[in-house]
Amino acid sequence: MMRLAELLSHADFQVTFVNTDSNHDRIVGNADITSFCNRFPKFHFSSIPDAIPCDPLTSGLTAKDNFRSIKAECKPGFRRLLTSLSEETGQSRRPTCIITDGIMSFATVDIAEELGIPVIAFRTYSASCTWTYFHLSKLIKEGEVPFPDNDMDKPITSVPGFENVRPKDLPGICRVDATDEYVLQFFLGETSTMTRASALILNTCYEIEAPVISRLSSLYTKIYTIGPLDALLKSRIKDPSPSVSSNGILRKEDKSYLTWLDAQPPRWDLYVSFGSLVESGYTESIPTELDQESKERGLIVTWAPQEEVLAHPATGGFLTHSGWNSTLESMVAGVPMICWAQIADEQVNSRCVSEVWKNGFDMKDTCDRSTVEKSVRHLMDNKREEIRESTDAIAKIARDSIKQGGSSYRNLEQLIDDIRSIALMTWVKKP
Ligand SMILES: O=c1ccn([C@@H]2O[C@H](COP(=O)(O)OP(=O)(O)O[C@H]3O[C@H](CO)[C@@H](O)[C@H](O)[C@H]3O)[C@@H](O)[C@H]2O)c(=O)[nH]1
């Protein structure tokens, strides 16, 4: 969302980036925010209450508690914010258009309709995963979800476009042991509310997910596929200032990883990361033996400059949780993956990596010590060449899509033009 906001700000729109209080507090706690705001004077950060503690992972609250809080707090907060923006003295900042995170539609779509402001949904998952969410209600009705542990491999036949999907490849909330009725209903509700938006933005590139994007076109008259967003952002904003990277302002990167990589042979390093949600207390939990034994052969950092690490010639593979941003970044860098999916969309992404794009291996549910070892040996050694061609082909498609004339490049231009037209229409309508 930050990357999209930066791109729109770069296109000369005034952007108000609305976060929930808990996320906002984390961002403004970072010193780099000032240089970012100086660089983009038309970019404003704002926030609405969510009643969630700043570090939800250590608060002891369950996912259900947090979902209940945001459901209760965010909608009235968003209404107050929009009203205050519209009523500001001097130059009104009433928005021309709202771009909402797909899973925050409950707080935004009603208010947008109430105030007559066009709304576009941005789902930060892959198109493939977005498609699965649209069919969960049907799968529940037909008794296929939630599915018990012993029935995870039978193919799903009732949904078109699911040819490669088994129950165990569906989002984590579909599992009997993980299902929380409240959370499941929350996602079903959000997926349905999202269809009231006038258009859909996806952080993917058309050529990589074309069949499923065509299917999604039955739900939206306009779909803007503008990914991989980070690569697109970097190609459009040439200034190498660190604030160009949203990751750079959200966390402090430890660049020592790059110096360490410089001293390693080509394609030797296996980069391991499980995304942005799993870092707390990591130093205490590393066994001393592991720390000592791996000193000469590995490096552990709190927050790596991931895209630079993936682009480094010494990086030969990525053991990932299959978060969608990590998957896209690995695709662009042409680095093959071992997928150790944990939650949400990651089960779907990892299946696509192994079966559709063929740029990695999916460990799906059997991530014991010997499976991890076997997969690492496959990726770094025995089977590397088997997936080299497809990994390179996907990388080329992703890189081409963000070049001038490429599909994501053109779709972003179209999105910018369409928002400008809305602005113009709003301006013409004013008395
Ligand atoms: O040391 C690190 C670790 C991560 N990253 C960056 O952090 C981001 C991680 O994003 P992602 O791979 O999408 O994982 P999560 O942060 O876990 O993302 C959440 O949001 C994603 C998009 O909605 C979902 O796909 C995931 O399942 C969900 O966990 C990427 O841009 C990485 O480059 C770093 O820069 N340095």
Side-chain angles (χ1 to χ4, degrees), residues 412-424:
L412 176 69
E413 297 280 297
Q414 186 63 54
L415 174 66
I416 291 169
D417 281 355
D418 290 348
I419 298 175
R420 284 207 181 106
S421 314
I422 303 173
L424 198 62

Side-chain angles (χ1 to χ4, degrees), residues 3 124-125 247 253 271 273-277 302-307 321-327 329 343-346 349:
R3 289 163 184 160
T124 59
Y125 290 171
N247 284 338
E253 294 171 325
Y271 171 63
S273 167
F274 291 92
S276 64
L277 302 177
T302 315
W303 190 255
Q306 180 162 304
E307 290 146 272
H321 69 316
S322 297
W324 185 233
N325 293 296
S326 296
T327 306
E329 290 160 16
I343 53 160
D345 56 330
E346 299 159 9
N349 300 339

Side-chain angles (χ1 to χ4, degrees), residues 120-138:
I120 303 177
F122 175 26
R123 189 70 146 142
T124 59
Y125 290 171
S126 59
S128 305
C129 184
T130 305
W131 181 243
T132 64
Y133 271 93
F134 278 114
H135 290 84
L136 290 188
S137 297
K138 182 174 160 66

Side-chain angles (χ1 to χ4, degrees), residues 385-415:
E385 284 317 309
E386 255 178 48
I387 54 168
R388 189 73 256 158
E389 213 175 295
S390 41
T391 305
D392 289 348
I394 288 284
K396 182 170 180 338
I397 293 172
R399 289 177 201 159
D400 284 350
S401 75
I402 55 153
K403 287 185 188 152
Q404 192 160 10
S407 62
S408 294
Y409 187 99
R410 281 184 281 114
N411 291 340
L412 176 69
E413 297 280 297
Q414 186 63 54
L415 174 66

Side-chain angles (χ1 to χ4, degrees), residues 45-75:
F45 285 97
S46 193
S47 73
I48 53 175
D50 55 4
I52 291 182
C54 195
D55 188 354
L57 296 182
T58 54
S59 67
L61 295 174
T62 63
K64 188 166 153 181
D65 296 331
N66 290 330
F67 279 114
R68 273 190 208 280
S69 292
I70 61 166
K71 266 220 113 153
E73 299 286 333
C74 291
K75 190 168 163 180

